[in-house]
Amino acid sequence: MFKQAIGLCFASLMLAIASNAQAALSLAEIVESMEEGEWRELPDTSVESVMPNRNEHPHWGRQGPRAVTRSWSGAAFDTKRNQLIMKGGGHGAYGGNEVYVFDLEDMTWERATDPSPHEPDPEFSDRRSPEQYYRTTDDTPVSRHTYDGLLYLPNIDKTLLWGGSLYSVGNSYDAHAWMFDSETREWSRGGEANRTRIQVATGYDPETGHALVEYGYGAYLYDPEADEWSVLSSGNNLMHGHVGAVDPENRLFIQVFIPNSDVAQFAYYDLEHPRAGRQHPDATGDLDFSDDPLPGITYHPGTGLMVLWRGWKETWVLDPKTWEVRRLDNAPGPAPDHYGTDSYPVRGKYKTWGIFGRWAYVPDHDVFIGYGHVEDNVWLYKLPEDPFNWTPPEDESAQACPVDLCVGPDYPLKKPSQAAQQAEEGAEIAIQGGEYKDCARWRKGVTIRGVDGRPRIGGEICDRKAIWVVQGDETVIENVELYGGSDDGRNGDGIRHEGRRLVVRDSDIHSSRMGILTNHGEDVELELFNNHFHGMRNRSGLAHQVYAARIGSLIAEANLFEKGGAGHHLKSVAARNAVRYNHFVNRDDTRASLLDVWGCSTTDIIGNTFSYGGDSGALQAISVTTRRESGGEIECERDVAVNILFNTAVFEQSNPRWSSFVRNQFGAELELANNLVMNTRDVVFTGGDSKTGLGRERGNLHLEGLQLSLFASPDDHDYRLVKPLEEAADVGLYPGRQYRHPRALDDRDGPYHPGAHGSKPE
């Protein structure tokens, strides 16, 4: 066993009170300084540093010790010592059965026991897959998802463990009451119940000293002094995940569970009339618990309310007398976050599937303790005196913020993810320039703008998807840098667009699996202006700079695409595309076409520059392609039009024999006019598996060999013509702008010539 010494710095704990103080504070001083509704983070209190190494035991599982908080596991709070007692793991996640103890007074974590050796349990040799049934060699409980099955019993000063999903097999085949002694740090095996259950909810009745255990089909009473089990109620059927606690004033054993409807539901046993069975009250108020993990629930004696927490800044209070529920926003300042990160990826949205007993009331200090997951620090929370009538005070330090929310060194919000938690629909958010190791999930439609320079954000992934997951109906992102998504085959994009309309301007998105990836949806829109996309990599698949899936519309204007990987610079399956005045550059980085659009679309590709170098095989600037699903080609059932007008394509490879400006695989009736194409074999390629049907070609200028002297300065990305060339064909549509490097536009006037640029002034 070993301890982690943790120093608490006055400056980090009292950020809003005295920024220059250096003296360490005691827990009592910290609590005394807290305001109503305030969260207070205890720095350097992550449990990770006391977790075992992989070589310390052979039953690592899929997740290792991070499963202690990630996979349906909880804790119990020892009110005698003010210690949080935590264990977890189980099923295929983790086989370690060690116990972790956080001493709140000392603000230190300790690994109180080491992982136990395992061996097959011969008692289950006749079961299906008997090799998955284990026992420990030191007569301690096997690792498990504990759910809400950990409960401190003050009358005997021990912690009960019961139920759960046991390591490897995932069943709950151990119905014994296991007791952990905090003094000796030893386990003892108690009496066995008639049956057991994976998901359980527990509560302690201070009047009788009994443990109450709801196991889905009924409830048990466990008398720890007599070590005896009895039935409180039976014949019920509660299949959903749930957690519980006792209201000693009203003598109720209350459970909260969240079915598929995402609306919190409550149940209770009346301990004065247990034969009435489980009751289901008609709760009212803030019952929307969608998109969040299972909560922890505990009783607050000062208000007589049940208090719930789900890992975020919000808490909920329940009045057991009226069954009214109210959600409380926090007081101004930092608050817990619960998104998954690149170093802590999760299946789904959050770092854990439930809080359970990692949320508890601390009677000695009249605060709550909350612990989200192994990467996080421990948090304290101060409940308002009158929660149902309390509103958060105005944040005086944020008065200088010129918009709704500000992020950066000069503001209380230090990370974009904190702003994402607090943002309301339509909010404007300013992020100061600087470095932010962060990821965020923007659930509301907001405007996000970098100020005082360009903020550089990345190094973490939310929801196993992207640095920023955007879900609002109307979201605008301006002047940010997003970098460092995954490149090892896992998801890890710059932006995952899951909302309706997203506009991205003047931003730098790079070094991820994909720059932007959208969901499908006929009403989804993506608009890109003056951005820089580069350096996407994916070791095990495609790495498009931008991938617009089957959405309603895409607009891309004045963007710079370069340094691609194994994918297209811009790929779109949108119904409508406007790709105008962009600059696509390839220097032997990718074998894919630079721009790929589905032929079943209305598409304008106008005024773009394609600079293609290297000798990487079959080279096309633009591909007009088919789409396949379930092994077959998708039929096009709408009118389409693909216009490719006034573009410049320069192929600088030494052998152009396989190259073409456009590959028309779809067989679309193209309008291909007034393009300047240099050093390719074909303007349009229709061989191989491509279909016939070229459409109409007019006014295209196809030049053999490299004639770079025609342009002002190709090395500086300046493709203006040195002198006028032949006049453009009259197609009734002319570009009014032209690309100027980097990522800007100039007006373009006639007379018009083929290509994306006019002549350079004398």
Side-chain angles (χ1 to χ4, degrees):
M1 329 315 157
F2 60 92
K3 277 196 173 184
Q4 171 198 23
I6 301 173
L8 289 176
C9 168
F10 186 91
S12 59
L13 281 171
M14 300 295 293
L15 187 61
I17 297 176
S19 59
N20 297 320
Q22 298 297 319
L25 296 177
S26 68
L27 177 64
E29 290 172 317
I30 294 170
V31 172
E32 181 66 25
S33 70
M34 293 178 67
E35 303 292 336
E36 288 187 306
E38 181 186 353
W39 285 99
R40 186 68 60 85
E41 185 176 15
L42 304 182
D44 302 318
T45 53
S46 165
V47 71
E48 266 195 314
S49 64
V50 300
M51 286 183 159
N53 298 319
R54 186 160 194 156
N55 60 5
E56 291 190 48
H57 64 89
H59 300 284
W60 192 260
R62 293 191 299 266
Q63 301 174 21
R66 289 178 168 181
V68 170
T69 59
R70 175 179 175 182
S71 293
W72 296 282
S73 293
F77 189 74
D78 177 345
T79 53
K80 179 179 178 180
R81 301 170 184 81
N82 285 340
Q83 293 178 341
L84 190 69
I85 299 169
M86 184 173 72
K87 78 182 305 294
H91 202 180
Y94 179 55
N97 69 338
E98 67 272 13
V99 176
Y100 300 93
V101 175
F102 179 74
D103 190 306
L104 182 57
E105 301 295 335
D106 293 341
M107 290 170 276
T108 58
W109 278 103
E110 178 183 3
R111 195 171 83 213
T113 67
D114 286 326
S116 301
H118 287 61
E119 64 182 9
D121 192 334
E123 182 179 346
F124 301 97
S125 59
D126 60 342
R127 297 285 184 94
R128 181 180 178 181
S129 303
E131 71 281 358
Q132 296 187 30
Y133 290 80
Y134 283 93
R135 67 182 182 186
T136 63
T137 60
D138 57 2
D139 198 27
T140 56
V142 172
S143 173
R144 64 196 68 194
H145 302 334
T146 60
Y147 292 91
D148 195 30
L150 285 165
L151 180 68
Y152 176 67
L153 305 175
N155 57 332
I156 63 168
D157 191 25
K158 293 181 180 178
T159 297
L160 168 70
L161 168 65
W162 191 81
S165 174
L166 274 66
Y167 174 62
S168 187
V169 71
N171 292 341
S172 183
Y173 55 85
D174 182 359
H176 290 91
W178 287 94
M179 293 293 177
F180 180 73
D181 190 322
S182 293
E183 287 294 326
T184 65
R185 305 300 173 90
E186 294 179 349
W187 286 99
S188 59
R189 188 201 306 257
E192 186 176 14
N194 291 332
R195 62 184 302 178
T196 185
R197 177 74 173 160
I198 292 176
Q199 297 188 35
V200 298
T202 60
Y204 175 72
D205 183 359
E207 185 168 311
T208 64
H210 293 163
L212 304 162
V213 180
E214 162 67 73
Y215 63 95
Y217 300 112
Y220 284 129
L221 292 176
Y222 176 66
D223 183 344
E225 294 180 338
D227 190 24
E228 293 180 351
W229 291 90
S230 60
V231 175
L232 176 69
S233 178
S234 61
N236 300 309
N237 186 9
L238 182 64
M239 299 300 293
H240 303 290
H242 52 293
V243 294
V246 169
D247 170 5
E249 179 183 351
N250 296 293
R251 300 282 291 136
L252 302 176
F253 176 33
I254 298 173
Q255 301 98 50
V256 57
F257 61 101
I258 304 171
N260 294 333
S261 64
D262 290 332
V263 175
Q265 298 183 22
F266 296 89
Y268 69 92
Y269 293 94
D270 186 338
L271 300 180
E272 295 294 333
H273 307 283
R275 292 187 178 182
R278 186 171 55 224
Q279 307 295 307
H280 295 271
D282 293 326
T284 60
D286 299 326
L287 301 176
D288 182 4
F289 277 27
S290 59
D291 295 333
D292 287 330
L294 284 168
I297 182 172
T298 189
Y299 176 74
H300 182 247
T303 60
L305 302 175
M306 311 301 293
V307 187
L308 295 82
W309 179 60
R310 317 189 71 186
W312 300 100
K313 64 186 180 69
E314 302 94 349
T315 55
W316 283 259
V317 288
L318 163 69
D319 187 341
K321 296 179 180 178
T322 64
W323 297 102
E324 182 181 358
V325 178
R326 187 187 179 209
R327 190 188 78 173
L328 302 177
D329 290 325
N330 62 303
D337 185 6
H338 218 52
Y339 293 120
T341 65
D342 189 27
S343 59
Y344 193 86
V346 297
R347 183 183 67 187
K349 302 179 179 68
Y350 306 106
K351 298 174 183 176
T352 176
W353 289 109
I355 297 298
F356 303 105
R358 301 197 306 278
W359 170 249
Y361 177 63
V362 184
D364 287 350
H365 298 282
D366 192 26
V367 293
F368 294 82
I369 183 172
Y371 194 57
H373 67 108
V374 298
E375 281 190 338
D376 277 350
N377 289 324
V378 176
W379 290 82
L380 299 180
Y381 175 74
K382 184 75 171 179
L383 185 70
E385 291 185 5
D386 186 6
F388 276 91
N389 294 301
W390 180 80
T391 56
E394 293 291 333
D395 187 353
E396 295 181 0
S397 62
Q399 294 295 324
C401 177
V403 293
D404 297 299
L405 294 170
C406 290
V407 177
D410 297 336
Y411 299 99
L413 301 181
K414 302 303 179 184
K415 293 184 175 182
S417 57
Q418 295 172 329
Q421 292 180 55
Q422 298 185 20
E424 299 295 337
E425 190 69 35
E428 292 189 34
I429 299 158
I431 304 176
Q432 287 184 304
E435 191 82 23
Y436 300 88
K437 189 175 187 295
D438 189 37
C439 67
R441 178 170 173 254
W442 301 95
R443 293 180 286 180
K444 306 288 188 179
V446 296
T447 296
I448 309 161
R449 186 174 292 110
V451 297
D452 302 330
R454 175 177 286 165
R456 190 169 187 265
I457 304 158
E460 293 188 350
I461 297 297
C462 282
D463 302 356
R464 263 189 172 177
K465 294 178 181 178
I467 300 164
W468 279 4
V469 181
V470 176
Q471 298 177 322
D473 283 342
E474 294 281 343
T475 303
V476 178
I477 298 171
E478 296 182 359
N479 188 36
V480 301
E481 179 182 352
L482 301 175
Y483 75 96
S486 172
D487 66 349
D488 61 358
R490 296 178 297 153
N491 288 344
D493 307 320
I495 296 174
R496 181 69 62 87
H497 177 30
E498 299 180 346
R500 194 186 65 80
R501 179 172 179 259
L502 171 64
V503 180
V504 183
R505 294 191 184 99
D506 300 306
S507 294
D508 185 2
I509 302 177
H510 64 94
S511 307
S512 297
R513 190 187 69 119
M514 294 192 190
I516 298 177
L517 174 63
T518 77
N519 279 5
H520 297 302
E522 293 181 355
D523 63 341
V524 176
E525 302 173 15
L526 177 62
E527 301 179 19
L528 308 173
F529 302 99
N530 308 91
N531 302 292
H532 188 191
F533 297 96
H534 57 106
M536 309 305 166
R537 292 291 184 268
N538 186 356
R539 296 176 187 173
S540 61
L542 296 177
H544 308 306
Q545 310 269 29
V546 174
Y547 187 0
R550 295 185 67 176
I551 65 175
S553 68
L554 165 72
I555 298 174
E557 187 173 289
N559 301 284
L560 171 61
F561 299 88
E562 63 175 340
K563 299 178 183 177
H568 305 288
H569 281 353
L570 175 58
K571 180 179 179 67
S572 177
V573 197
R576 300 175 302 281
N577 298 288
V579 182
R580 302 183 295 243
Y581 318 127
N582 302 281
H583 189 36
F584 296 86
V585 181
N586 180 67
R587 292 289 181 266
D588 210 10
D589 297 311
T590 178
R591 295 174 180 267
S593 56
L594 302 186
L595 171 60
D596 181 284
V597 297
W598 187 22
C600 185
S601 63
T602 299
T603 295
D604 291 331
I605 302 172
I606 301 174
N608 303 279
T609 307
F610 301 88
S611 175
Y612 214 143
D615 292 291
S616 55
L619 308 174
Q620 289 85 33
I622 302 169
S623 291
V624 183
T625 58
T626 59
R627 291 287 295 173
R628 303 180 68 86
E629 286 184 3
S630 303
E633 185 176 315
I634 300 175
E635 295 293 330
C636 186
E637 300 178 350
R638 59 187 173 218
D639 295 334
V640 300
V642 180
N643 301 309
I644 304 176
L645 312 173
F646 289 99
N647 301 281
T648 295
V650 179
F651 286 72
E652 299 182 30
Q653 74 276 29
S654 59
N655 187 353
R657 61 179 178 170
W658 302 115
S659 61
S660 61
F661 173 46
V662 178
R663 181 171 184 258
N664 188 13
Q665 181 191 32
F666 186 82
E669 295 292 325
L670 306 178
E671 176 72 37
L672 191 71
N674 297 322
N675 299 286
L676 172 57
V677 182
M678 180 179 290
N679 197 34
T680 66
R681 189 187 72 172
D682 302 309
V683 175
V684 180
F685 175 69
T686 59
D689 60 353
S690 298
K691 301 176 181 179
T692 60
L694 298 180
R696 183 165 55 170
E697 289 187 70
R698 293 184 290 168
N700 298 297
L701 182 58
H702 187 197
L703 301 176
E704 294 185 2
L706 276 177
Q707 303 181 42
L708 298 180
S709 61
L710 294 177
F711 305 114
S713 181
D715 290 341
D716 298 320
H717 305 275
D718 186 350
Y719 286 87
R720 289 177 297 170
L721 299 172
V722 173
K723 61 181 179 179
L725 301 177
E726 63 186 52
E727 289 188 10
D730 185 3
V731 295
L733 179 63
Y734 297 93
R737 314 291 291 278
Q738 62 185 16
Y739 179 86
R740 173 168 51 85
H741 194 72
R743 299 178 291 114
L745 294 179
D746 290 330
D747 292 334
R748 180 180 178 183
D749 299 318
Y752 286 94
H753 306 275
H757 293 79
S759 299
K760 181 180 178 180
E762 294 294 338

